[in-house]
Amino acid sequence: MKFGIVVNEGPYTHQAADTAYQFTKAALEKGHEIVRVFFYHDGVNNGTRLTTPPQDERNIVKRWSELAQQHKLDLVVCVAAAQRRGIVDRDEAKRHGKDADNIAAGFRISGLGQLIEAGVLADRLVAFGD
Amino acid sequence: MKFGIVVNEGPYTHQAADTAYQFTKAALEKGHEIVRVFFYHDGVNNGTRLTTPPQDERNIVKRWSELAQQHKLDLVVCVAAAQRRGIVDRDEAKRHGKDADNIAAGFRISGLGQLIEAGVLADRLVAFGD
Amino acid sequence: MLLHTVNKSPFEKGSLDTCLRLAKQGSTILLIEDAVYAAMQGTVIESKISEAMKRYSVYALQSDLKARGLDEDRLLNGIKVVDYGGFVDLVAEHDTVQSWF
Amino acid sequence: MLLHTVNKSPFEKGSLDTCLRLAKQGSTILLIEDAVYAAMQGTVIESKISEAMKRYSVYALQSDLKARGLDEDRLLNGIKVVDYGGFVDLVAEHDTVQSWF
Amino acid sequence: MADETMEEGGNPTGVVKKFMYVNRRAPYGTVYPLEGLEVVLIGAAFEQDVSMAFVDDGVYQLKKGQDTAETGMKNFSPAYRALEMYDVEKLYAEKESLEARGLTQDDLLVSVEVLSTAELTELMEQQDVILNY
Amino acid sequence: MADETMEEGGNPTGVVKKFMYVNRRAPYGTVYPLEGLEVVLIGAAFEQDVSMAFVDDGVYQLKKGQDTAETGMKNFSPAYRALEMYDVEKLYAEKESLEARGLTQDDLLVSVEVLSTAELTELMEQQDVILNY
């Protein structure tokens, strides 16, 4: 079955970001297809490569990047939510005159249409939030 | 009177970040001293220079930077909370092998001791959160 | 005395209930952000708030009332309205602030 | 049928109450994250949950029970426990998911 | 992956699903209602069967007379009036949520269909996708 | 600004204030309890008069038997047992909060003083600084 995943909260602050990951992993293990993971609201903060969590804690960003690489996941960060919160890739940095970017490996920035499309393409859309 | 301000939530997502700013501004207008503004939990996300909010919305990060410059405010981002969330200055970037930093003008990264100290030095410590 | 601030809607979260349980008689409670809805007439919690106002001084932040389209003439009798400067004054007049999130 | 998920503590937020008001009789409700506290015996909301279980199938996420130190032998009778894989199965078995935050 | 298919709107897939946006939060305390509205407005271009339900504190999003000037925040309430232009015409509010807050249709800045809890339950059961803001 | 004065702990100011940390949230659902505990442990070095109150869902932070392995999260509950080593010895739990959740002292991983609501009210009134997690 095709699943779409929506992540509405940032890493560490709310368990939603963890539950979304565990659910996605379990769905893949059961042989389901993940058509997209869409990061919205503070969820966009899962997509920064600048985090350095304590050694004895899980690395939430890295975990998504690795899962994306293993399973060719489409991790989409909402551009409008990302602009409010300071998540940028090289193109966004150039467009807005920023001197740095911070997006993590495996994530891409795109529009809200990608959320609607995930809802259309997936058999089930599951949202994790606060 | 001496006030210490604690900001526990990031920009835009919770009004706490706005109320903290409006309160700080009003306290300064009344002639009070702000001994420190301490950013904790997701509050550290107020300190990224990579945001580009829509033209018709307030620029929360820039607003803090400007208030800090006008009034020589001490804006402190908690280092432990910042590491979990990807807010880094040049030193932190070097220490953790990051290829970019994102801290905004007027903010500095320091330890939790600065929060306790604000509580000791201020006549009133006021926290804004979710 | 403590100044108590509450910033959550009384219909969504228990913050105001906990504040009303733990605030000492005679205390001041300031409603800010989504908590200002508690100050309105005609809600299911009107009698609870009116009862509480016998024990506490209750303020609401003007900017948050206006933002949410809440007219001052529909506030419960006895609710005092302050602006951000008044919020600062309340903090200065009390020894310690307890923020109920 | 909808699958309803709830992730907030019933003692802190009204999410579970709204779910119980709006979920159709015969629905399945999955408690995750802080909502798993609702599944325990001996709380002030025990009778409300027991009453609701006459109308709904109620599940709780095992990993969240364990994380919070909640023993399965102190769950209300009839609560079903699933792991993340079971969560996935519940989603697959229902037409649509409604997440009550 | 389907980067291009729906980026611009329209509906090349030909699939029409029932999308319901459930709005359960007060405005301004959090950004969810504003960012939720952005989803609805963008989503309107994709020719799906869209409805919005206002439940719990979500009914406050529709309160007349919002004036955010003193908070420095953006007053996004006029956008609810624009929904019709985007062909988002099915707006529902739960009667119980309105009554608990002492609100009537006269307090609201757009006209909505007021539903009983049971009616809203049935409507939710018919949806293909439900998103909460 | 006083960058250096208290960065390392100790108390060069000579001022001793009453700090109360009010813990009102369940563990793991949010990071506030964990990051709150970090404040308490760091703060212990600054020789202030510290107490912790567990109220509402905060009492769940002290529940015995937490095992987070399946969630992938860090089990930080052992740190409550370490508080004593940091001279954080005044731990209070509100009786009403415990009872509402069906918990007794036997369920808790550290021993706390159980206070009535009225007693906790009085204790809060004596504080100089209150922080909530």
Side-chain angles (χ1 to χ4, degrees):
Chain A
M1 194 172 265
K2 293 180 182 179
F3 285 90
I5 308 291
V6 184
V7 185
N8 289 334
E9 294 298 329
Y12 304 104
T13 305
H14 295 89
Q15 197 186 350
D18 285 276
T19 308
Y21 171 81
Q22 299 293 353
F23 181 91
T24 303
K25 198 156 84 65
L28 290 164
E29 282 163 8
K30 291 216 161 228
H32 295 293
E33 181 189 343
I34 304 292
V35 298
R36 183 166 296 147
V37 184
F38 190 85
F39 296 86
Y40 197 43
H41 306 306
D42 274 1
V44 300
N45 291 326
N46 285 282
T48 170
R49 68 174 182 274
L50 301 184
T51 62
T52 311
Q55 298 276 341
D56 60 346
E57 282 187 44
R58 74 250 185 241
N59 190 323
I60 293 182
V61 175
K62 201 171 153 216
R63 217 165 55 173
W64 279 120
S65 293
E66 288 172 356
L67 199 68
Q69 198 182 18
Q70 283 164 32
H71 297 275
K72 300 202 194 324
L73 293 186
D74 187 23
L75 307 183
V76 178
V77 170
C78 169
V79 62
Q83 286 172 356
R84 284 198 181 92
R85 292 164 181 87
I87 303 297
V88 294
D89 59 14
R90 203 166 297 178
D91 283 353
E92 279 285 292
K94 198 176 289 176
R95 192 188 341 261
H96 300 294
K98 301 294 180 184
D99 60 351
D101 68 82
N102 60 352
I103 198 158
F107 290 82
R108 67 185 177 97
I109 293 181
S110 189
L112 273 171
Q114 302 277 311
L115 169 58
I116 309 299
E117 190 186 63
V120 172
L121 297 178
D123 299 304
R124 304 285 184 273
L125 192 68
V126 192
F128 298 88
D130 175 52
Chain B
M1 195 173 264
K2 294 179 181 177
F3 286 89
I5 309 290
V6 184
V7 185
N8 289 334
E9 294 299 329
Y12 304 102
T13 306
H14 294 89
Q15 196 186 350
D18 285 276
T19 308
Y21 171 81
Q22 300 293 354
F23 181 91
T24 303
K25 198 155 83 66
L28 290 165
E29 282 163 9
K30 292 216 160 229
H32 295 293
E33 181 189 342
I34 303 292
V35 299
R36 182 166 298 145
V37 185
F38 190 84
F39 297 86
Y40 197 43
H41 305 308
D42 275 2
V44 301
N45 291 326
N46 286 281
T48 170
R49 67 174 183 274
L50 300 184
T51 62
T52 311
Q55 298 275 340
D56 59 346
E57 281 188 44
R58 73 247 185 245
N59 190 323
I60 293 183
V61 176
K62 200 170 152 214
R63 217 166 54 174
W64 279 119
S65 293
E66 288 172 356
L67 199 68
Q69 196 180 20
Q70 282 163 32
H71 298 274
K72 301 202 194 325
L73 294 185
D74 186 23
L75 307 184
V76 178
V77 171
C78 170
V79 62
Q83 286 171 357
R84 284 197 181 94
R85 293 163 181 88
I87 303 297
V88 294
D89 59 13
R90 204 167 297 177
D91 283 353
E92 280 285 291
K94 197 176 290 175
R95 194 188 340 261
H96 299 294
K98 301 293 179 185
D99 60 352
D101 68 81
N102 59 352
I103 198 158
F107 291 82
R108 67 186 177 97
I109 292 181
S110 190
L112 272 171
Q114 301 277 311
L115 169 59
I116 308 298
E117 190 186 63
V120 172
L121 298 177
D123 299 305
R124 305 285 184 274
L125 192 68
V126 192
F128 298 88
D130 174 52
Chain C
M1 290 284 282
L2 297 185
L3 170 68
H4 297 265
T5 70
V6 183
N7 74 341
K8 289 295 174 297
S9 163
F11 304 106
E12 185 190 42
K13 248 189 134 179
S15 316
L16 180 59
D17 285 334
T18 302
C19 173
L20 296 179
R21 188 171 82 235
L22 279 161
K24 193 177 168 80
Q25 176 138 5
S27 290
T28 300
I29 298 172
L30 171 63
L31 306 172
I32 67 173
E33 302 176 4
D34 288 345
V36 297
Y37 292 115
M40 302 309 293
Q41 294 172 11
T43 74
V44 285
I45 61 162
E46 175 171 338
S47 63
K48 177 165 75 182
I49 306 301
S50 297
E51 216 33 58
M53 289 174 67
K54 295 178 186 165
R55 305 170 55 213
Y56 306 115
S57 282
V58 181
Y59 291 76
L61 194 59
Q62 185 173 47
S63 51
D64 286 326
L65 289 167
K66 282 190 187 171
R68 289 159 182 80
L70 306 181
D71 292 340
E72 292 195 20
D73 59 8
R74 285 173 68 179
L75 292 181
L76 291 168
N77 276 332
I79 299 272
K80 282 157 274 196
V81 176
V82 288
D83 61 9
Y84 289 112
F87 183 177
V88 172
D89 291 342
L90 285 172
V91 171
E93 290 160 13
H94 290 78
D95 299 319
T96 303
V97 185
Q98 161 61 359
S99 311
W100 300 99
F101 301 139
Chain D
M1 291 283 284
L2 296 186
L3 170 68
H4 297 265
T5 70
V6 182
N7 74 341
K8 289 295 174 296
S9 164
F11 304 106
E12 186 190 42
K13 249 191 133 177
S15 317
L16 180 59
D17 285 334
T18 302
C19 173
L20 297 179
R21 188 171 82 233
L22 280 161
K24 192 179 169 81
Q25 177 139 4
S27 290
T28 300
I29 298 173
L30 171 63
L31 307 171
I32 66 172
E33 302 176 4
D34 288 346
V36 296
Y37 292 115
M40 302 309 292
Q41 294 172 12
T43 76
V44 284
I45 61 162
E46 175 171 339
S47 64
K48 176 164 76 182
I49 306 301
S50 296
E51 218 30 60
M53 290 174 67
K54 296 177 186 165
R55 305 170 54 216
Y56 306 115
S57 282
V58 182
Y59 290 75
L61 194 59
Q62 185 172 46
S63 51
D64 286 326
L65 290 167
K66 282 189 186 171
R68 289 159 182 78
L70 307 181
D71 293 340
E72 291 194 21
D73 59 9
R74 285 173 68 178
L75 292 180
L76 291 168
N77 277 332
I79 299 271
K80 282 158 275 196
V81 176
V82 288
D83 61 8
Y84 289 112
F87 184 177
V88 172
D89 291 343
L90 284 172
V91 171
E93 290 159 13
H94 291 77
D95 299 319
T96 303
V97 185
Q98 160 61 359
S99 311
W100 300 99
F101 301 139
Chain E
M1 283 194 275
D3 285 58
E4 305 303 321
T5 51
M6 295 181 71
E7 189 62 22
E8 307 288 317
N11 187 1
T13 64
V15 179
V16 176
K17 287 191 175 181
K18 290 191 174 180
F19 276 71
M20 177 178 273
Y21 300 98
V22 179
N23 290 52
R24 288 183 50 231
R25 303 205 223 213
Y28 309 116
T30 62
V31 81
Y32 304 107
L34 166 59
E35 291 191 328
L37 197 53
E38 290 177 352
V39 176
V40 177
L41 294 174
I42 295 280
F46 294 87
E47 300 170 9
Q48 301 295 312
D49 180 356
V50 170
S51 60
M52 293 180 81
F54 296 87
V55 181
D56 290 347
D57 281 352
V59 298
Y60 283 133
Q61 293 176 27
L62 303 178
K63 179 75 181 64
K64 273 182 191 161
Q66 297 175 31
D67 171 7
T68 56
E70 286 176 21
T71 63
M73 306 175 88
K74 178 183 167 185
N75 178 359
F76 61 96
S77 65
Y80 294 101
R81 288 212 194 86
L83 285 167
E84 212 176 348
M85 294 189 315
Y86 288 79
D87 294 320
V88 178
E89 291 171 338
K90 296 183 207 164
L91 307 186
Y92 306 101
E94 190 203 22
K95 187 161 178 274
E96 176 160 339
S97 296
L98 288 168
E99 287 179 354
R101 289 157 187 79
L103 298 177
T104 66
Q105 179 72 253
D106 284 349
D107 291 306
L108 307 186
L109 50 81
V110 286
S111 126
V112 297
E113 187 174 344
V114 178
L115 299 183
S116 70
T117 302
E119 287 168 327
L120 183 55
T121 295
E122 287 305 324
L123 202 61
M124 291 182 72
E125 283 291 335
Q126 295 162 21
Q127 303 303 315
D128 297 308
V129 177
I130 305 180
L131 288 166
N132 288 260
Y133 295 106
Chain F
M1 286 195 275
D3 286 57
E4 306 304 322
T5 50
M6 294 180 73
E7 188 62 23
E8 309 288 318
N11 186 2
T13 65
V15 179
V16 176
K17 287 191 175 182
K18 291 192 173 180
F19 277 71
M20 177 179 271
Y21 300 98
V22 179
N23 291 52
R24 289 183 49 232
R25 305 205 221 213
Y28 309 116
T30 63
V31 81
Y32 305 107
L34 166 60
E35 292 192 329
L37 197 53
E38 290 178 352
V39 176
V40 177
L41 294 173
I42 295 282
F46 293 88
E47 299 170 10
Q48 302 294 313
D49 181 356
V50 171
S51 61
M52 294 180 82
F54 296 87
V55 181
D56 290 348
D57 281 352
V59 298
Y60 283 134
Q61 293 176 28
L62 304 178
K63 180 75 180 65
K64 273 183 192 161
Q66 298 174 30
D67 172 5
T68 56
E70 287 176 20
T71 63
M73 306 176 89
K74 179 183 166 185
N75 178 358
F76 62 95
S77 65
Y80 294 101
R81 288 213 195 85
L83 285 166
E84 210 176 347
M85 294 189 317
Y86 287 79
D87 294 322
V88 178
E89 291 171 339
K90 297 184 210 165
L91 307 186
Y92 305 102
E94 190 202 21
K95 187 159 177 276
E96 176 159 340
S97 296
L98 288 168
E99 288 179 354
R101 289 158 187 79
L103 298 177
T104 66
Q105 179 72 251
D106 284 349
D107 292 305
L108 308 185
L109 49 80
V110 286
S111 125
V112 297
E113 188 174 343
V114 177
L115 299 182
S116 70
T117 303
E119 287 169 329
L120 183 54
T121 295
E122 287 304 324
L123 202 60
M124 292 182 72
E125 282 292 335
Q126 294 162 20
Q127 303 303 315
D128 297 308
V129 178
I130 305 180
L131 289 166
N132 288 260
Y133 296 107

